[in-house]
Amino acid sequence: MADPHGEDHARIIHSYAFRRLQGKTQVLGIGSGDFYRTRLTHSLEVAELGRAMLDGLQRRAASQRADWQAYLPSRTLLANICLAHDLGHPPFGHAGERTLDAAMRDLGLPNLDGFEANGQTLRLLSTLETGPESGNFGLNLTRRLLLGVLKYPVAYAQAPHPGTRPPKCYLGSEQAVVDWILAPLGFSDRAAFTAPNRRSRSFDCRLMELADDAAYGVYDLEDCVNLGLIVRGDWEGLLAGAPELRDFPALPGWADLVFSEDESERKRGVATLSRALVDGVELRWQGQFGEPLLDLSADFTPEAQALQTFLTALVWRRVIDTPQVRGPEAEAAAQLRALFTAIQAEPQRWLGAESRRRYAQAASDAERVRVVCDYLAGMTDSYALRQAQRLSPHP
């Protein structure tokens, strides 16, 4: 294969899961407007910011003769990781994730994990989606790409469980895939990388995470400003309690642009915030792993981290953590839970053809429940709501 990363790219963007991202919630629920971000546009923007971040690192490496230059991913590889990073998200965002995890755990079946969206991403890529090769290889993607997608290298059963939220993990059903991904590592590297409380990531994964953090910090804010959900007073109120942002003397001028009545000025403001985060990345060797792709780490500079934290907190406090969002979110989650119960009771009535085939081939109750969970997790918001309407037939 002449260009394995190019082949990976084609397989990702032509997958069913990638197309379904257009109907999945980012911050604002599907139906709130016709120009806001969805999981699909968010993933495209994460990929673009990742490429811009990588371009800056390449220029820096060339001027500094940095010893980490040889380990930088290609633009296509990093874009692929960014495009794939949210594929496992269910309908209704994190509310849907919590709902499916609770529904699975409440069954109390042996050898049955709950649900976690990042773990579901790996499951989609390696098992549920189908590539051109025969055999159960999923999309059959390259090892380094899957390592970059493996955000939490700890199995569900071994991961710390933070109360009502899903643990940060991969699903135990994908253990053989994870073993293959980590096969080139030495014993000590693998043991350290998969330690439950360590929260390790590969270098490529960290670059993707920073691009993701930049995207939802800046672009979710843009959506909220355009819809009038965040105003200049909200910005100033939160900024007054953020002394760490004194190192950004240009911030008031950036706010003038972001909240301007002129659309082109708002776009310049958004671009300026994005550039501040993309350029605010620093690399360091941790001195903890023999494998360079594990030992090399990427982080925001303290100034860029303070900016990203501020932007994210602004959206969280003024939009996400409000009754206007939490109310519909809770209602949608309740409908998803009701769907789970209904499909469990009558799988042949509800499941699609491919899911019915997998259900018939399942060898245990745990495997059959996982098929139901996979089916629900793959739904778009609107399809899940339409299916939920069937639970209460019109008189």
Side-chain angles (χ1 to χ4, degrees):
M1 189 180 297
D3 181 11
H5 300 314
E7 179 66 23
D8 282 354
H9 182 81
R11 294 183 183 203
I12 290 169
I13 66 170
H14 290 296
S15 67
Y16 298 132
F18 187 72
R19 291 202 296 276
R20 289 190 182 112
L21 292 179
Q22 66 187 306
K24 296 195 177 188
T25 295
Q26 174 59 15
V27 169
L28 302 170
I30 303 300
S32 303
D34 61 0
F35 64 92
Y36 52 81
R37 268 86 180 176
T38 64
R39 288 277 176 189
L40 178 61
T41 58
H42 167 73
S43 297
L44 293 169
E45 288 172 330
V46 173
E48 182 55 32
L49 289 180
R51 284 188 289 257
M53 191 178 296
L54 186 60
D55 290 344
L57 291 172
Q58 288 282 16
R59 290 192 295 270
R60 192 188 311 170
S63 65
Q64 298 175 356
R65 296 185 178 180
D67 58 358
W68 41 258
Q69 184 173 18
Y71 303 104
L72 293 175
S74 71
R75 297 178 92 247
T76 304
L77 171 58
L78 183 57
N80 290 342
I81 295 169
C82 293
L83 291 172
H85 84 283
D86 266 354
L87 291 181
H89 273 275
F92 316 125
H94 291 292
E97 181 184 31
R98 292 190 296 270
T99 298
L100 289 180
D101 181 56
M104 295 286 280
R105 286 189 290 107
D106 288 350
L107 292 174
L109 291 176
N111 302 315
L112 178 65
D113 291 341
F115 179 85
E116 202 276 335
N118 295 285
Q120 188 72 5
T121 293
L122 182 64
R123 179 167 170 78
L124 278 164
L125 295 173
S126 61
T127 302
L128 300 181
E129 288 284 342
T130 303
E133 292 85 12
S134 59
N136 187 25
F137 302 113
L139 293 181
N140 200 14
L141 303 174
T142 56
R143 197 190 310 260
R144 184 166 174 177
L145 186 151
L146 292 177
L147 179 62
V149 170
L150 185 62
K151 191 171 179 179
Y152 304 110
V154 180
Y156 188 100
Q158 280 77 50
H161 286 236
T164 59
R165 292 178 294 173
K168 301 300 184 182
C169 62
Y170 63 84
L171 301 176
S173 57
E174 309 315 299
Q175 186 62 58
V177 176
V178 173
D179 288 343
W180 178 80
I181 294 171
L182 304 183
L185 300 181
F187 175 81
S188 59
D189 272 0
R190 176 166 178 160
F193 187 62
T194 58
N197 295 308
R198 190 177 184 120
R199 297 288 296 271
S200 299
R201 280 108 159 128
S202 71
F203 173 56
D204 299 339
C205 185
R206 279 299 296 150
L207 291 176
M208 175 273 288
E209 282 189 304
L210 295 178
D212 188 28
D213 289 350
Y216 70 68
V218 175
Y219 298 133
D220 291 351
L221 171 65
E222 182 185 24
D223 276 354
C224 294
V225 170
N226 285 338
L227 287 170
L229 301 175
I230 292 178
V231 297
R232 180 68 180 265
D234 300 325
W235 173 291
E236 298 295 348
L238 185 60
L239 186 62
E244 64 274 14
L245 289 173
R246 290 171 185 157
D247 290 329
F248 275 97
L251 206 55
W254 296 353
D256 290 340
L257 294 173
V258 170
F259 294 99
S260 172
E261 295 293 326
D262 183 270
E263 185 173 0
S264 63
E265 289 190 348
R266 291 200 303 275
K267 287 293 184 183
R268 286 201 298 276
V270 168
T272 301
L273 291 174
S274 299
R275 178 54 59 185
L277 294 177
V278 164
D279 289 345
V281 175
E282 56 187 6
L283 307 187
R284 63 182 177 88
W285 294 103
Q286 301 177 79
Q288 298 174 355
F289 296 94
E291 168 54 54
L293 290 178
L294 301 187
D295 198 60
L296 186 58
S297 183
D299 295 286
F300 284 129
T301 63
E303 296 79 12
Q305 184 61 67
L307 176 62
Q308 194 276 335
T309 300
F310 169 76
L311 297 174
T312 303
L314 185 59
V315 174
W316 174 265
R317 297 184 188 184
R318 301 304 304 173
V319 179
I320 297 176
D321 196 26
T322 63
Q324 292 82 359
V325 169
R326 293 301 190 196
E329 185 181 77
E331 181 180 348
Q335 291 177 311
L336 189 64
R337 182 63 182 257
L339 267 178
F340 182 91
T341 301
I343 298 175
Q344 276 286 96
E346 297 182 90
Q348 296 305 315
R349 175 189 174 191
W350 293 90
L351 293 175
E354 176 61 19
S355 293
R356 286 198 302 271
R357 182 191 67 79
R358 291 180 49 235
Y359 192 92
Q361 294 178 346
S364 66
D365 288 343
E367 289 183 12
R368 284 185 280 273
V369 173
R370 181 61 61 188
V371 172
V372 172
C373 186
D374 290 337
Y375 181 65
L376 283 166
M379 290 182 178
T380 62
D381 293 19
S382 59
Y383 185 71
L385 291 174
R386 289 198 304 272
Q387 292 296 90
Q389 290 174 356
R390 296 173 54 195
L391 296 173
S392 303
H394 295 292

